[in-house]
Amino acid sequence: MKIGSYAYDEYVHLVKSFHGSLAPGLIIGGFIVDLALRNLPPGEFFDAICETSVCLPDAVQLLTPCTVGNGWLKVVDMGRFAVTLYEKEKGDGIRVYLDSKKLGAWPEFNAWYFKLKPKKEQNFELLMAQIKEAGAGALSMERVRVKPEYTVKRKLGRTAVCPSCGESYPLRDGDSCLACQGRSPYQEA
């Protein structure tokens, strides 16, 4: 059994070292990305959209050249466990998602995904065994066309020094940086 170019156990080790722990979502995410990759035309350059910010973006970054940093991975958090790999220019792609209708065959996997029991009551070994057993069998796939506004790579553009805080920022944000416009994630100390 392989996930991407890795044997299953190699991928599990990679997940632990990259993510910090053995995350069930990252294991099923590996199967999602692998299925999408296997259904892309060979040799095509692609970007990715991840529909959740939880675990799944890490699988995309581990198994493809798409990262948040290079701009080839966009996280559009709609709370759905799905990934689309799509051709960069026209946006034609493959969307793979965890199909909730299929999870009944794996009760521990289903209970984990739908948060039907507290984490302390879950059988982690059984959960991981069921995710491995389910593999691509818990997934569905569809062909999609990505909207043009998502296929455009956002460029940083010219930068300037913010007159309020003195830090550099992209001029496209206006007369001052976003933080000085009240959009900082930090509270006053």
Side-chain angles (χ1 to χ4, degrees):
M1 171 180 288
K2 292 185 76 118
I3 295 179
S5 62
Y6 301 98
Y8 180 82
D9 291 335
E10 289 176 311
Y11 180 71
V12 167
H13 178 72
L14 188 62
V15 164
K16 287 180 192 175
S17 63
F18 182 79
H19 193 74
S21 64
L22 182 55
L26 195 41
I27 301 301
I28 194 62
F31 287 112
I32 289 172
V33 173
D34 180 70
L35 183 58
L37 286 168
R38 286 189 281 122
N39 285 279
L40 282 176
E44 192 168 283
F45 287 106
F46 59 90
D47 279 2
I49 291 177
C50 189
E51 296 180 28
T52 180
S53 61
V54 179
C55 289
L56 202 45
D58 285 356
V60 173
Q61 294 182 114
L62 283 171
L63 296 171
T64 75
C66 302
T67 70
V68 172
N70 69 15
W72 297 358
L73 169 59
K74 294 171 186 72
V75 177
V76 182
D77 197 350
M78 297 189 299
R80 302 190 303 181
F81 216 73
V83 165
T84 298
L85 300 182
Y86 63 95
E87 186 272 326
K88 292 176 177 282
E89 300 296 322
K90 294 180 185 166
D92 294 328
I94 302 293
R95 180 178 182 267
V96 179
Y97 59 97
L98 182 57
D99 192 333
S100 58
K101 293 182 236 66
K102 296 180 178 181
L103 289 181
W106 302 280
E108 195 69 19
F109 188 2
N110 186 68
W112 167 80
Y113 185 68
F114 287 106
K115 311 269 189 269
L116 300 177
K117 27 178 174 172
K119 192 171 185 171
K120 64 183 177 200
E121 292 178 21
Q122 295 172 10
N123 181 332
F124 188 76
E125 288 74 29
L126 179 59
L127 168 62
M128 295 308 293
Q130 287 185 2
I131 289 173
K132 182 178 181 181
E133 178 187 321
L139 310 176
S140 287
M141 179 178 63
E142 61 187 342
R143 297 203 177 278
V144 296
R145 175 162 286 155
V146 175
K147 291 179 179 179
E149 59 263 31
Y150 290 97
T151 63
V152 176
K153 186 172 179 180
R154 190 170 180 196
K155 299 196 182 317
L156 184 60
R158 290 186 52 218
T159 58
V161 174
C162 176
S164 298
C165 68
E167 293 190 42
S168 64
Y169 76 102
L171 274 171
R172 69 169 185 251
D173 292 342
D175 293 333
S176 62
C177 73
L178 293 178
C180 291
Q181 292 177 39
R183 295 182 49 195
S184 171
Y186 308 111
Q187 295 179 355
E188 297 279 329

